[in-house]
């Protein structure tokens, strides 16, 4: 049990991107298949649930996404390392696939967007809504139509969307009760009406910022290489390695372009000059009293 907990925590905590554990119903796998190649969320969900036929009495997939802690760190890594998910740790050895590098897991909204391929109907739900959906899936009546219960039109629309969904993206808060999280995940794995279960976590804030920085750097490097390739003629082969090394050493960003900086300096200079000129003109004084008849000579005083 301790060995499984260590492996689970290692597979989650050491990954440079969000990990994902996949359980498939009806699979005869003897052990998990560890995949370290980078894969995006859409490809992961497509390979897991893309070939399943629609069935109103079953869910094509349930995706559990553990949110971040208030400090921005991953929630699943701390739960796994502290041993708060014992039942999930037992099911870890029976998983079909374990992806260690899943890209694009930034929020439930982005995962739900990537899951909407083909004619799949996706709904973002909470833990309580998932448990209601799982308990009422075999019933024929529409979820929420309870006699004597009054709900708003918005709530009726949401319940109808959840009842018709094929894929559920469950938003699991990191500060929720660990026992409830553990039992809900195991219930989805053991349920006969759930074909695929995916357990993942939203990447930490630091990893998201780092990924966006790398994407910006890669895009900038490609544009620089394209511009450099257009300028190279005969000595392209000799200078290509040196140019690539120079471009990849580091990127430096400035707050403004030289034209903007020159415009700001001219604005400040013009403002100061106008202020000094208006101040000097304001200091010019004339006499305060004007008379029609001048005093006699010698009587000026």
């Amino acid at each position: 049990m301790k060995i499984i907990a260590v492996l689970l925590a290692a597979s989650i905590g050491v990954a440079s991107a969000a990990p994902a554990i996949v359980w498939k119903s009806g699979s005869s796998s003897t052990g998990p298949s560890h995949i370290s190649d980078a894969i995006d969320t859409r490809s992961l969900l497509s390979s897991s649930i893309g070939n399943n036929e629609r069935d109103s009495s079953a869910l094509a997939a349930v995706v559990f996404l553990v949110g971040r802690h208030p400090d921005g760190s991953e929630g699943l890594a701390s739960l796994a390392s502290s041993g708060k998910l014992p039942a999930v740790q037992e099911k870890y050895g029976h998983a079909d696939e374990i992806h260690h590098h899943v890209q694009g897991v930034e929020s439930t909204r982005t995962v739900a967007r990537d899951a909407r391929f083909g004619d799949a109907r996706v709904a973002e739900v909470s833990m309580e809504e998932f448990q209601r959906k799982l308990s009422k899936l075999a019933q024929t009546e529409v979820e929420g139509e309870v006699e004597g219960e009054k709900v708003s039109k918005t709530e009726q629309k949401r319940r109808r969307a959840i009842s018709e969904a094929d894929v559920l993206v469950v938003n699991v808060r990191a500060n929720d009760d660990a026992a409830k999280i553990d039992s809900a995940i195991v219930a989805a794995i053991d349920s006969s009406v759930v074909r695929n279960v995916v357990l993942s976590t939203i990447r930490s804030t630091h990893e998201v910022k780092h990924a966006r920085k790398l994407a910006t750097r890669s895009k900038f490097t490609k544009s620089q290489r394209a511009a450099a390739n257009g300028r190279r003629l005969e000595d392209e082969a000799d200078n290509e390695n040196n140019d690539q090394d120079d471009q990849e050493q580091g990127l430096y960003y400035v707050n403004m372009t030289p034209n903007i900086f020159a415009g700001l300096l001219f604005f400040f200079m013009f403002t100061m000059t106008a202020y000094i000129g208006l101040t000097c003109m304001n200091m010019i004084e004339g006499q305060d009293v004007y008379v029609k008849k001048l005093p006699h000579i010698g009587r000026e005083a």
Side-chain angles (χ1 to χ4, degrees), residues 218-238:
S218 177
K219 183 178 180 180
F220 182 79
T221 303
K222 289 180 180 179
S223 63
Q224 289 293 325
R225 288 179 180 178
N229 289 333
R231 292 191 299 266
R232 294 194 189 103
L233 295 175
E234 295 181 355
D235 52 346
E236 177 181 359
D238 297 334

Side-chain angles (χ1 to χ4, degrees), residues 45-290:
L45 297 177
S46 177
S47 62
S48 301
I49 63 179
N51 298 326
N52 291 334
E53 297 181 357
R54 174 174 293 181
D55 187 359
S56 59
S57 62
L59 288 172
V62 177
V63 182
F64 290 93
L65 282 182
V66 182
R68 302 188 187 98
H69 280 291
D71 58 354
S73 61
E74 288 185 7
L76 184 57
S78 61
L79 291 175
S81 59
S82 59
K84 295 182 179 180
L85 303 176
V88 175
Q89 292 171 2
E90 291 182 0
K91 297 291 184 181
Y92 178 81
H94 303 285
D96 293 272
E97 297 176 356
I98 299 176
H99 297 267
H100 296 272
H101 196 122
V102 181
Q103 300 174 344
V105 186
E106 297 185 3
S107 64
T108 56
R109 181 182 58 83
T110 57
V111 174
R113 179 197 61 196
D114 294 335
R116 291 187 177 96
F117 53 85
D119 56 349
R121 293 174 293 187
V122 185
E124 303 176 37
V125 298
S126 61
M127 288 284 294
E128 294 77 11
E129 291 173 334
F130 162 71
Q131 292 173 352
R132 287 201 304 266
K133 170 73 174 179
L134 191 64
S135 62
K136 296 183 179 180
L137 191 59
Q139 299 180 6
T140 56
E141 64 268 15
V142 178
E143 185 179 3
E145 292 183 357
V146 181
E147 184 177 358
E149 183 182 3
K150 295 182 180 180
V151 294
S152 61
K153 292 183 179 180
T154 305
E155 182 65 19
Q156 290 178 1
K157 184 178 180 180
R158 174 169 176 78
R159 292 187 179 185
R160 189 179 301 109
I162 294 174
S163 64
E164 297 175 353
D166 302 319
V167 180
L168 296 182
V169 180
V170 185
N171 183 15
V172 182
R173 295 187 296 269
N175 55 358
D176 286 346
D177 188 4
K180 293 182 179 180
I181 298 174
D182 194 24
S183 61
I185 296 174
V186 174
I189 296 173
D190 295 336
S191 177
S192 60
V193 297
V194 179
R195 295 177 179 175
N196 300 278
V197 177
V198 180
L199 174 60
S200 185
T201 181
I202 299 177
R203 293 189 298 172
S204 63
T205 306
H206 175 73
E207 290 181 356
V208 171
K209 292 181 179 179
H210 182 66
R212 291 176 180 176
K213 183 178 180 181
L214 290 178
T216 304
R217 178 176 297 180
S218 177
K219 183 178 180 180
F220 182 79
T221 303
K222 289 180 180 179
S223 63
Q224 289 293 325
R225 288 179 180 178
N229 289 333
R231 292 191 299 266
R232 294 194 189 103
L233 295 175
E234 295 181 355
D235 52 346
E236 177 181 359
D238 297 334
N239 298 333
E240 182 176 2
N241 295 330
N242 295 330
D243 292 342
Q244 291 180 357
D245 293 339
D246 294 339
Q247 292 169 5
E248 295 177 356
Q249 284 181 356
L251 301 176
Y252 301 94
Y253 299 91
V254 294
N255 294 326
M256 63 187 68
T257 61
N259 292 336
I260 296 176
F261 185 68
L264 291 176
L265 290 180
F266 176 78
F267 171 76
F268 290 131
M269 182 189 69
F270 176 80
T271 304
M272 184 60 66
T273 304
Y275 175 76
I276 294 175
L278 293 176
T279 305
C280 293
M281 291 180 63
N282 192 37
M283 295 176 62
I284 300 175
E285 295 183 359
Q287 62 185 77
D288 298 334
V289 179
Y290 297 91

